[in-house]
């Protein structure tokens, strides 16, 4: 087992260990806390629909299969993992995103038992034609539910226009047609590919003993040869051709998502780029920015307004979202402010304040074992040191941040709107 300890300027530390089978383990001891948060994850998300294993033939699987597999792993011949966790008093959950699938629990006691349950069910797949057919009905209902979810649709409608050739525009759960193609053989094939220890990670934060946990994991992980996975390289730099997409749903106020597609030259974004973009968004539309104050004063936004650097393997966009009775005006004001910053430069005092704000937010995350475990999963997926953020925040310059303004192309945007459903004539007469 290879082990490495990382220390922060705040006097805290965590351990990263790599087992001979390739499994990565991250443990952040917080002895002063009473709870523990643990995550067992795999580098396998909804965009991994085309891949090859150990140099074999490239295959394409149905959309939504990663999410389907997440659901099915909780089941076994003897029951389901949620029942087992309930008996220990632990909270358990799981999620599938675009680039990962994670299984987790939080507990304040009986940690060893809960870790045994986590290691057991994630490594014990049980699929049959009958149980798969049953799950297709359950996930089909989930897909239909999200079709009417305004917050979900406003994002995926935008992604569909912005990244039509990248699988990120496909709903994480897939479609009714795609999940109908999933069977037990496909599930086992994807499991044996992506749930290999060399493609997985365990992240734990809380009141634990690192050495004891490492020994327990080492004895509880299946031993098998590492697999070599080759994913398709999706880099979507095609120009946007449709700039507006609308849909009517049951909302009281129009919802919007306004995005600037970012041109990229490699599949991944560096941690420095992520930090610089976070600083830029704080300066552009953070709570203390002139733009935010102006939009609030004009009554164009409310406290639902938010911004995000939405990135992943082969795609990147900057998103602005919220509620507004005049979303087109909000989009115009955002575009105008970007032009003002590009022309007049960034305010040095605001830049210093933004760095302090981000530094403070990073420090506050260390007060939550859940936040720490989640941050460690980012380290595992993106391959960086948890404490690199502090070093980069100190070294990033105002010029580093200003350069990112060049990536905002006014002709490469999409505005997605969810509008209140029109009342029928019959309803109006009543």
């Amino acid at each position: 087992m290879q082990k490495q300890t990382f220390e922060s300027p705040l006097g805290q530390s965590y351990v990263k260990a790599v087992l001979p089978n390739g499994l990565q383990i991250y443990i952040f001891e917080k002895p002063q806390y009473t709870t523990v948060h643990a995550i067992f994850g795999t580098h396998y998300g909804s965009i991994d629909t085309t891949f090859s294993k150990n140099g074999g033939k490239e295959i394409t699987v149905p959309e939504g299969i990663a999410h389907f597999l997440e659901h099915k792993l909780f089941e076994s011949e003897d029951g389901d993992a949620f029942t087992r966790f309930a008996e220990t008093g632990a909270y358990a959950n799981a999620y599938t995103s675009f680039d990962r699938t994670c299984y987790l629990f939080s507990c304040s006691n009986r940690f060893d038992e809960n870790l045994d349950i986590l290691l057991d069910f994630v490594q014990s797949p049980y699929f049959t034609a009958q149980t798969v057919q049953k799950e297709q009905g359950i996930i089909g209902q989930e897909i239909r539910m999200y079709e009417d979810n305004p917050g979900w649709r406003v994002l995926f409608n935008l992604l569909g226009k912005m990244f039509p050739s990248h699988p990120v525009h496909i709903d994480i759960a897939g479609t009714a047609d795609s999940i109908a193609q999933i069977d037990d053989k496909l599930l086992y094939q994807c499991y044996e590919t992506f749930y290999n220890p060399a493609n997985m990670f365990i992240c734990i934060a809380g009141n634990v003993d690192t050495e004891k946990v490492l020994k327990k994991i080492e004895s509880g992980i299946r031993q098998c040869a590492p697999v070599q996975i080759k994913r398709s390289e999706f880099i979507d730099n095609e120009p946007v051709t449709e700039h507006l997409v609308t849909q009517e749903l049951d909302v009281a106020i129009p919802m919007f998502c306004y995005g600037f597609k970012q041109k990229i030259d490699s599949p991944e974004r560096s941690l420095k780029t992520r930090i610089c973009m976070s600083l830029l968004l704080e300066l552009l539309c953070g709570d203390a920015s002139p733009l935010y104050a102006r939009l609030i004063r004009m009554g164009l936004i409310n406290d639902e307004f938010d911004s995000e650097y939405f990135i992943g393997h082969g795609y990147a966009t900057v998103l602005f979202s919220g509620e507004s009775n005049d979303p087109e005006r909000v989009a115009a004001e955002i575009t105008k402010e970007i032009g003002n910053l590009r022309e007049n430069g960034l305010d040095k005092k605001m830049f210093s304040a933004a760095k302090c704000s981000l530094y403070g937010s990073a420090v506050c995350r260390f007060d939550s074992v859940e936040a720490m475990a989640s941050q460690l999963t980012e380290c595992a997926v993106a391959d960086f040191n948890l404490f690199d953020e502090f070093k980069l925040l100190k070294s990033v310059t105002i010029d580093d941040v200003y350069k990112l303004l060049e990536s905002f192309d006014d002709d490469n945007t999409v505005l997605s709107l969810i509008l209140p459903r029109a009342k029928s004539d019959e309803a109006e007469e009543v």
Side-chain angles (χ1 to χ4, degrees):
M1 181 190 303
Q2 300 175 356
K3 284 194 296 183
Q4 188 175 4
T5 300
F6 297 91
E7 298 184 356
S8 80
L10 307 174
Q12 302 192 61
S13 64
Y14 71 94
V15 170
K16 175 186 176 181
V18 182
L19 299 185
N21 60 12
L23 177 73
Q24 296 186 55
I25 306 168
Y26 297 77
I27 301 177
F28 199 122
E29 284 192 33
K30 305 282 284 185
Q32 69 275 35
Y33 285 68
T34 58
T35 58
V36 182
H37 194 84
I39 300 173
F40 194 178
T42 175
H43 299 270
Y44 180 39
S46 64
I47 67 174
D48 296 314
T49 54
T50 302
F51 57 88
S52 63
K53 173 184 174 183
N54 294 332
K57 182 181 177 181
E58 185 175 78
I59 66 168
T60 298
V61 295
E63 296 153 352
I65 195 167
H67 172 260
F68 202 107
L69 187 51
E70 172 221 313
H71 273 231
K72 292 304 300 171
L73 270 188
F74 277 93
E75 294 184 15
S76 70
E77 291 184 272
D78 303 322
D80 67 86
F82 282 119
T83 300
R84 298 170 66 187
F85 279 120
E87 292 172 351
T88 67
Y91 163 81
N93 209 338
Y95 67 88
T96 302
S97 67
F98 298 108
D99 62 358
R100 73 198 71 170
T101 304
C102 292
Y103 305 83
L104 57 94
F105 72 81
S106 291
C107 66
S108 55
N109 52 44
R110 301 173 71 175
F111 168 74
D112 286 349
E113 292 179 58
N114 289 312
L115 183 57
D116 284 337
I117 296 171
L118 182 67
L119 294 175
D120 178 46
F121 85 84
V122 174
Q123 297 184 96
S124 305
Y126 172 69
F127 317 129
T128 66
Q130 292 75 22
T131 59
V132 169
Q133 186 177 17
K134 177 184 176 183
E135 197 66 39
Q136 285 168 336
I138 295 171
I139 294 181
Q141 291 178 342
E142 183 178 336
I143 291 171
R144 289 190 290 275
M145 178 183 69
Y146 277 102
E147 286 175 351
D148 292 328
N149 184 302
W152 197 254
R153 293 314 325 155
V154 74
L155 171 62
F156 276 91
N157 290 348
L158 178 144
L159 296 177
K161 300 301 181 183
M162 186 170 283
F163 302 106
S165 62
H166 193 292
V168 71
H169 78 273
I170 303 295
D171 192 299
I172 290 172
T175 66
D177 289 337
S178 70
I179 65 169
Q181 303 169 39
I182 296 173
D183 59 26
D184 52 323
K185 296 181 180 62
L186 273 176
L187 289 174
Y188 276 115
Q189 184 177 21
C190 290
Y191 181 88
E192 292 302 329
T193 299
F194 292 101
Y195 282 73
N196 182 279
N199 192 56
M200 302 185 76
F201 51 86
I202 294 178
C203 302
I204 299 173
N207 188 1
V208 295
D209 183 299
T210 297
E211 293 305 317
K212 289 183 180 179
V213 173
L214 288 176
K215 290 180 181 178
K216 189 172 188 60
I217 293 175
E218 188 172 25
S219 63
I221 290 292
R222 60 181 180 138
Q223 299 303 315
C224 55
V227 298
Q228 297 295 323
I229 303 170
K230 183 179 180 182
R231 297 168 168 86
S232 289
E233 294 289 340
F234 296 105
I235 297 182
D236 188 338
N237 280 325
E238 295 298 316
V240 172
T241 58
E242 295 184 60
H243 302 277
L244 177 66
V245 55
T246 64
Q247 182 180 0
E248 291 185 358
L249 289 173
D250 292 325
V251 295
I253 303 174
M255 296 178 64
F256 68 89
C257 190
Y258 183 45
F260 286 78
K261 187 173 183 177
Q262 306 281 293
K263 187 174 182 179
I264 59 177
D265 54 12
S266 63
E268 309 299 342
R269 311 271 62 74
S270 69
L271 181 59
K272 181 178 180 180
T273 299
R274 299 182 189 198
I275 290 173
C276 286
M277 188 62 79
S278 295
L279 288 167
L280 179 57
L281 291 178
E282 187 71 20
L283 295 170
L284 172 64
C285 60
D287 293 352
S289 68
L291 173 63
Y292 183 83
R294 187 164 68 250
L295 293 175
I296 288 288
R297 186 173 63 249
M298 297 167 69
L300 289 173
I301 62 171
N302 54 28
D303 57 9
E304 294 295 318
F305 181 75
D306 198 10
S307 63
E308 178 185 3
Y309 188 32
F310 186 85
I311 56 174
H313 189 79
Y315 63 90
T317 180
V318 179
L319 301 178
F320 305 89
S321 59
E323 300 174 340
S324 178
N325 286 313
D326 192 354
E328 290 91 345
R329 179 70 183 280
V330 175
E333 290 292 329
I334 291 171
T335 301
K336 178 182 176 182
E337 187 66 13
I338 291 170
N340 290 338
L341 294 179
R342 193 182 287 129
E343 180 178 352
N344 302 317
L346 304 177
D347 184 277
K348 292 183 179 180
K349 288 185 179 180
M350 288 187 63
F351 173 71
S352 296
K355 287 181 71 173
C356 290
S357 176
L358 260 65
Y359 195 95
S361 296
V363 171
C364 288
R365 285 198 295 268
F366 285 85
D367 289 333
S368 165
V369 294
E370 182 177 352
M372 281 297 91
S374 296
Q375 282 296 108
L376 289 173
T377 66
E378 293 298 325
C379 294
V381 172
D383 192 24
F384 61 80
N385 177 353
L386 182 64
F387 304 129
D388 286 345
E389 183 176 3
F390 295 107
K391 299 176 184 177
L392 287 168
L393 275 171
K394 289 184 177 181
S395 63
V396 162
T397 67
I398 195 169
D399 289 336
D400 293 328
V401 176
Y402 177 81
K403 289 176 183 177
L404 287 182
L405 286 168
E406 299 174 2
S407 66
F408 287 78
D409 182 356
D410 297 350
D411 296 323
N412 224 17
T413 63
V414 175
L415 176 60
S416 173
L417 303 178
I418 299 296
L419 303 175
R421 200 186 300 273
K423 296 180 180 179
S424 65
D425 294 337
E426 187 177 316
E428 289 178 356
E429 290 176 5
V430 174

